[in-house]
Amino acid sequence: PFSSKVKKAPDHPFVGPVSFREEEAKVFFGRSSEILDLHDSISNPERQLTLFFGPSGVGKSSLLFAGLLPRMQDHWNIFYEKRKASIGLPQGLKNLLVKERDPSLPTLILMDQVEEMYTNICPSLGNEEPDILLEDIIKLLDQEPNTHILLSFRKEFLSELQSLFSSRNISFLPHPLNPLKDAGILEAINGVARYDHLRKVYRGLNFEKGLPEKIRDDIIKGQKSHVGPMLQIQLRKMWDVVRKDITPTLTFDLYEQIKDNSLEEFLLQQ
């Protein structure tokens, strides 16, 4: 179930070339098992640190903001920090820890774009940032057994982060996010059309028979890690054409019209 903060479905059933946000949680489909797995990982009292990683464009931010957070916010204190080169992650962590918390709830700290402490050096910390962050995390987890930290980063930096925490025998759970597969792609395509309460919001939105499978097959042939963004660009383009129809229907003809332009838009976004 969603938290009390998720009130209604968004104006559009597909987000286009951007990440899903919390307010789009009700139309975020295709990652059900991944959301459950990550939730279970974070809720495991024997682990206080999760390394959440995947290739660029795989949908890490969307899963966190539209998948995980809306299902946890009523039961956890949740704080988010996107790494800023001007201050670095250690100061970002300190800034989070002074925020007001409900002492009766466990705390989840999400730190995003962690790989940038290796690629975009903080002037005041230099190459010391990873070691400083390590010491700060060790101290925090020792003092707060009900706090869990999730570090999100590109998979190319898994070795660096594993070595960093292993150097001090810090227990962590590596949690990869892989590109959408067949079943997840189909769920992401027709999830909105499968639920009556959402079909009502979008005036009976439906697909011509066989179109979701055709889109899935084309996506799998053409993309690897960027399945989600490409899919949302295509679906949003089709929706924008039919959204004022009495009963919006996504058809094979419409798909063929927007397909090539969608690929160009996706490449420009990269």
Side-chain angles (χ1 to χ4, degrees), residues 42 53 75 86 92 103 121 152 161 170 225 254:
I42 291 168
F53 59 94
H75 310 290
S86 58
I121 303 299
S152 178
L161 271 299
I170 304 303
S225 66
L254 178 57

Side-chain angles (χ1 to χ4, degrees), residues 102-139:
D102 183 339
S104 68
L105 298 178
T107 294
L108 172 60
I109 295 174
L110 305 173
M111 308 196 80
D112 200 1
Q113 297 188 359
V114 173
E115 75 276 2
E116 289 196 0
M117 65 181 178
Y118 297 106
T119 63
N120 190 7
I121 303 299
C122 173
S124 62
L125 300 177
N127 293 325
E128 302 293 321
E129 183 175 352
D131 291 326
I132 296 171
L133 178 65
L134 172 63
E135 296 301 326
D136 289 346
I137 287 177
I138 291 173
K139 182 178 178 182

Side-chain angles (χ1 to χ4, degrees), residues 2 13 20-21 24-32 35 59 62-64 66-68 71 187-188 192:
F2 295 113
F20 281 83
R21 301 165 297 177
E24 288 137 358
K26 290 192 174 182
V27 295
F28 180 66
F29 292 99
R31 292 292 194 182
S32 301
I35 293 169
S62 292
L63 189 142
L64 290 176
L68 183 71
R71 292 166 172 83
E187 185 186 346
V192 173

Side-chain angles (χ1 to χ4, degrees), residues 45-246:
E46 307 210 349
R47 292 280 193 278
Q48 286 183 271
L49 178 65
T50 295
L51 303 185
F52 181 56
F53 59 94
S56 176
V58 78
K60 296 185 294 296
S61 294
S62 292
L63 189 142
L64 290 176
F65 283 100
L68 183 71
L69 268 60
R71 292 166 172 83
M72 298 186 69
Q73 286 173 325
D74 285 346
H75 310 290
W76 287 71
N77 299 298
I78 299 180
F79 302 108
Y80 173 81
E81 175 70 14
K82 182 178 179 180
R83 197 258 184 186
K84 306 177 186 70
S86 58
I87 62 171
L89 286 171
Q91 185 59 51
L93 179 58
K94 290 181 173 64
N95 293 344
L96 293 181
L97 294 176
V98 300
K99 294 185 177 182
E100 185 176 353
R101 287 188 266 176
D102 183 339
S104 68
L105 298 178
T107 294
L108 172 60
I109 295 174
L110 305 173
M111 308 196 80
D112 200 1
Q113 297 188 359
V114 173
E115 75 276 2
E116 289 196 0
M117 65 181 178
Y118 297 106
T119 63
N120 190 7
I121 303 299
C122 173
S124 62
L125 300 177
N127 293 325
E128 302 293 321
E129 183 175 352
D131 291 326
I132 296 171
L133 178 65
L134 172 63
E135 296 301 326
D136 289 346
I137 287 177
I138 291 173
K139 182 178 178 182
L140 173 62
L141 297 184
D142 184 56
Q143 293 176 343
E144 298 189 14
N146 286 329
T147 290
H148 191 101
I149 296 176
L150 183 148
L151 303 180
S152 178
F153 55 93
R154 297 202 314 269
K155 72 172 184 178
E156 304 95 286
F157 293 86
L158 176 60
S159 177
E160 286 86 343
L161 271 299
Q162 284 181 320
S163 297
L164 180 68
F165 291 104
S166 296
S167 70
R168 295 290 300 276
N169 295 318
I170 304 303
S171 178
F172 59 83
L173 183 65
H175 197 102
L177 182 64
N178 297 311
L180 282 167
K181 302 297 184 184
D182 290 17
I185 294 172
L186 273 180
E187 185 186 346
I189 294 170
N190 60 24
V192 173
R194 287 171 47 206
Y195 293 92
D196 289 342
H197 68 285
L198 290 175
R199 293 188 75 244
K200 184 176 180 181
V201 172
Y202 305 114
R203 302 189 316 285
L205 169 65
N206 65 94
F207 291 82
E208 186 176 350
K209 186 176 180 180
L211 179 58
E213 290 78 11
K214 168 64 174 172
I215 297 173
R216 175 202 60 194
D217 293 344
D218 288 349
I219 284 281
I220 290 174
K221 291 176 186 174
Q223 295 298 325
K224 300 213 181 285
S225 66
H226 298 88
V227 169
M230 184 65 190
L231 187 59
Q232 286 297 317
I233 289 173
Q234 291 182 340
L235 294 172
R236 179 58 181 267
K237 278 184 170 293
M238 288 191 284
W239 167 255
D240 285 343
V241 173
V242 304
R243 63 190 177 91
K244 294 183 179 179
D245 294 352
I246 296 175

Side-chain angles (χ1 to χ4, degrees), residues 229-238 255 257-269:
M230 184 65 190
L231 187 59
Q232 286 297 317
I233 289 173
Q234 291 182 340
L235 294 172
R236 179 58 181 267
K237 278 184 170 293
M238 288 191 284
Y255 173 60
Q257 291 172 27
I258 63 91
K259 187 168 61 172
D260 292 338
N261 287 338
S262 296
L263 178 58
E264 291 177 10
E265 181 173 338
F266 168 76
L267 294 173
L268 286 172
Q269 290 291 327

